[in-house]
Amino acid sequence: MQNTVFPKSGIPWAELHGVMQDIRLQDSKWHEGRMAMSSYVVDDDLLKVSHDAYLMFLVENALYSGEMAKKRKVGFASLTMFQDEILKMALEILNAPEGAGGQITTGGTESVLLAVLGAREWARKNRPDIKQPRIVLPRTAHPAFNKGAHYFGLKVTRIPQRSDDCKADVGAMEAALGDDVIMMVGSAPCYPFGVIDPIAELAAVAAKRDIWFHVDACVGGYVAPFVKKLGFPVTDFDLGVPGVWSVSADLHKYGYAPKNISTLLVRDAALKDYFTFYFEDWPYGTYTTPTIGGSRTGGALAGAWTTLKYLGEDGYIKAAKTIMDVRQRVFDALKSIGGFEVRGNPDIGLVNFGSNVFDIYAVADGMGAKGWAVARAREPHGMHLALNPIHAKAIDAYVNDLSDVVAAVKKGKIAGSTDKVVYAG
Ligand SMILES: Cc1ncc(COP(=O)(O)O)c(C=O)c1O
């Protein structure tokens, strides 16, 4: 086969850099605040600091850190320190009781997968009577739980959310339980509607049957506690709630750390054993990993440690305030333009809105044509925003464009699209 992409001789960096700059022009303009999904950004100052920190430890490998590195005095004492301190900060932020523990992972999906694996292994040991284990969760919970069930051979029952407030239906979830259920889940918040499920009630139902109860706070874990400190009513969801066994919380979302990094916290450090892999029969020696992947860049640990320390509680509270101010601007605009409805009563900066008056996908198309990267929700049709501090600089333009686009849609100037909604490729 002819080499057409892999060059025969190396290409100078200046040329490659030029290609990258050019192709980047086609990306959604997250940096201008024109994309309210996937990128979690405070400002240029933090980007610079966290990226510098990341690059400092890009080559170091987190596989060679932790207990083994401490004992043998080889590997990366630096990464071990970052890891230990990140977990201590996470446990403080999420109200962990004495004896709780945690694990750093590469993202929300890995944190969820490990929690599912942990629940399965716990049940294998403590409920050997269960032949085909099952998870019960609200339909709004992230697909990563189905991914975990698919990988680890579990069944899943997804229960429709309540129609009035889009939260988990506790009664219906309880009714779906049986002797085969090993795990229940609530989200804080769920991604589609940004609402926190009634965690305390769900946890109480799970506790009655000794079922592993996981809170998926991948989105809310590092923002909801600070929104609460600002005085907003936020449903309790963390390890301080009785009956919560584990919490996933992503540092690469509202922790504002560079990707890939998340935390999985467990109410009792001994539970970590259920998702840790041990292997002895290898000529090289014992192989033990508490994560799905093996080698991981130290950059993600350095980036997250620096972000947490650089912002501190004040910085996170300030970021949360900016988000809630921008959210209020969105709410005000939706009201003054008219014809919109916000789905549920979002707890943090995720907002899902639609309309019974005009075609919301036509509005999405119109906003797209004006250079906004629009996230669409499918059921019911809606537009979705994951608001960040960086959106403060774009909110005036967003509101103006939204008003113009709605006027055009009402005049029939923008036809509704039939785009299939794809969340992740
Ligand atoms: C509630 C929730 N859980 C888990 C995930 C998965 O996170 P990641 O994409 O970091 O794997 C997401 C991603 O948006 C999410 O919203």
Side-chain angles (χ1 to χ4, degrees), residues 65-342:
S65 65
E67 289 313 310
M68 193 67 95
K70 269 189 215 164
K71 251 187 250 157
R72 298 260 167 84
K73 296 206 172 24
V74 292
F76 305 108
S78 53
L79 304 188
T80 304
M81 187 275 272
F82 298 150
Q83 211 157 271
D84 286 352
E85 288 211 4
I86 289 170
L87 285 173
K88 278 188 190 142
M89 290 187 266
L91 291 165
E92 278 173 20
I93 292 168
L94 291 160
N95 264 313
E98 204 58 38
Q103 178 58 46
I104 290 175
T105 72
T106 53
T109 300
E110 193 182 15
S111 290
V112 166
L113 293 182
L114 289 181
V116 171
L117 177 63
R120 189 193 72 173
E121 293 303 293
W122 185 89
R124 275 189 176 168
K125 178 157 181 234
N126 297 287
R127 294 287 315 276
D129 54 301
I130 300 178
K131 299 289 171 259
Q132 174 55 72
R134 185 163 60 96
I135 308 176
V136 172
L137 68 172
R139 189 148 179 271
T140 49
H142 195 270
F145 291 95
N146 281 68
K147 194 176 198 174
H150 175 65
Y151 287 174
F152 307 133
L154 312 179
K155 285 195 165 160
V156 181
T157 307
R158 285 185 167 259
I159 303 294
Q161 69 275 15
R162 300 194 294 229
S163 55
D164 53 346
D165 61 5
C166 308
K167 295 188 179 199
D169 186 333
V170 183
M173 281 178 68
E174 183 165 20
L177 296 179
D179 287 342
D180 56 340
V181 173
I182 60 156
M183 184 184 218
M184 280 178 71
V185 176
S187 307
C190 68
Y191 196 79
F193 302 107
V195 295
I196 299 181
D197 288 327
I199 298 300
E201 292 166 52
L202 289 171
V205 168
K208 273 195 279 180
R209 294 175 181 243
D210 209 16
I211 291 173
W212 184 305
F213 181 64
H214 180 79
V215 176
D216 182 4
C218 282
V219 176
Y222 294 105
V223 62
F226 306 109
V227 169
K228 190 172 184 178
K229 282 197 169 147
L230 287 168
F232 289 90
V234 172
T235 312
D236 288 338
F237 69 93
D238 57 25
L239 281 168
V241 177
V244 172
W245 286 46
S246 55
V247 175
S248 48
D250 290 0
L251 284 161
H252 69 196
K253 291 194 174 74
Y254 285 103
Y256 311 115
K259 294 180 186 62
N260 278 85
I261 189 158
S262 167
T263 47
L264 172 62
L265 307 183
V266 282
R267 67 175 183 181
D268 176 352
L271 290 173
K272 281 177 62 175
D273 221 34
Y274 291 102
F275 53 77
T276 300
F277 177 73
Y278 300 93
F279 190 67
E280 290 289 349
D281 187 19
W282 194 33
Y284 192 62
T286 302
Y287 184 91
T288 304
T289 52
T291 49
I292 290 172
S295 295
R296 285 179 287 137
T297 175
L301 293 172
W305 181 86
T306 306
T307 304
L308 285 158
K309 295 276 187 184
Y310 187 71
L311 286 179
E313 187 176 83
D314 284 359
Y316 280 97
I317 290 176
K318 191 169 161 226
K321 166 102 175 59
T322 309
I323 291 170
M324 297 312 265
D325 288 348
V326 175
R327 190 184 82 161
Q328 193 54 50
R329 294 287 312 282
V330 172
F331 286 163
D332 293 346
L334 297 180
K335 207 165 170 196
S336 72
I337 296 168
F340 287 107
E341 60 173 35
V342 175

Side-chain angles (χ1 to χ4, degrees), residues 14-76:
E15 195 181 320
L16 294 173
H17 188 249
V19 173
M20 290 159 83
Q21 293 284 41
D22 284 351
I23 190 71
R24 198 176 214 187
L25 295 175
Q26 294 174 30
D27 288 349
S28 294
K29 305 283 176 281
W30 62 268
H31 192 254
E32 294 169 22
R34 288 185 161 261
M35 183 188 199
M37 62 179 136
S38 101
S39 300
Y40 296 81
V41 185
V42 175
D43 58 20
D44 285 343
D45 179 49
L46 179 64
L47 281 178
K48 165 115 188 56
V49 170
S50 62
H51 289 190
D52 283 356
Y54 197 103
L55 290 179
M56 268 179 83
F57 289 89
L58 184 66
V59 176
E60 281 81 348
N61 187 346
L63 190 58
Y64 295 82
S65 65
E67 289 313 310
M68 193 67 95
K70 269 189 215 164
K71 251 187 250 157
R72 298 260 167 84
K73 296 206 172 24
V74 292
F76 305 108

